[in-house]
Amino acid sequence: MKGERRIQMAEMQPKKPPGRPRGEQTENADRRRRQLVEAAIHSIVHLGMSATTLATVSASAGLSQGVAVFYFKSKENLLIETLRHHYHEYDDHWHKALADAPDDPLEKLMALVFADVDPKICNTRNLTLWNSYWGEAVARPKFAEICEAYDRVRYETLIGFCEAAAPMMVGPYWTPVTVADVLDTMTDGMWTRMHVTPGFMALETGRMLLARFLATVYPSRADRILAHAESLDTKQ
């Protein structure tokens, strides 16, 4: 009798509505986080980093500020996640360029270098974002730590291709490391200059400067380097 009574009481309890499957919850959470990160990029680009708040980001995303607080807790956490997201985009870009390049060290080197002056990555949005984070890196060690970790991987990749292409190198002053350092400095400088004074240098001009430097260091492949650089599309 007691068992029957327990069964009857259990049947009388209101049933809870079925919850969303865990996979769907995760998918929705990821979508919300991406939405907020994209809104953070929009806010940084148009308002600046100091004026970007959870409120401006929420408004841009069309979400309540409570949603931003729920997923990121603070502006600092959101900015960190946004920086990582931006680096993932950049990493995907240059890794794809390498994957598409012929299996030759100088071809790989050109692909890696010219990826930095591809309009898909070198554009007003991205240059504004990069320079906003670089300007804060000294005061915010976490930004510097993230930049160093991602940049180190690309830099070591750059040196690796310079070392593999060393037999084609001409000139007593060049080593794989010095060539890599010049290329890295050139692209960083171009990004800063194009951001600060957009009318100073066209993307095509910057790309050809890089090509001429490579042609000087690897003169046996100069024609190929210059022809390849000229064939690239700089239209956004």
Side-chain angles (χ1 to χ4, degrees), residues 40 43 47-59 65 68 75 78:
S43 181
L47 302 177
M49 189 167 289
S50 61
T52 292
T53 64
L54 291 181
T56 65
V57 171
S58 301
Q65 188 171 338
K75 170 184 170 179
L78 175 57

Side-chain angles (χ1 to χ4, degrees), residues 153-165:
V153 174
R154 182 190 174 279
Y155 178 67
E156 290 176 353
T157 303
L158 180 62
I159 289 178
F161 288 125
C162 288
E163 288 174 342

Side-chain angles (χ1 to χ4, degrees), residues 95-112:
H95 276 106
K96 183 180 185 306
L98 289 180
D100 292 343
D103 190 15
D104 172 271
L106 192 55
E107 293 286 342
K108 297 288 188 185
L109 179 58
M110 285 192 292
L112 183 58

Side-chain angles (χ1 to χ4, degrees), residues 40-53 56-57 75 79 128-129 132-133 136:
I41 293 173
H42 182 272
S43 181
I44 293 169
V45 169
H46 291 89
L47 302 177
M49 189 167 289
S50 61
T52 292
T53 64
T56 65
V57 171
K75 170 184 170 179
L79 292 177
T128 302
L129 198 61
S132 295
Y133 275 102
E136 294 286 328

Side-chain angles (χ1 to χ4, degrees), residues 13-25:
Q13 294 296 322
K15 296 184 181 296
K16 294 181 180 180
R20 289 179 298 176
R22 184 175 298 275
E24 183 181 344
Q25 292 176 334

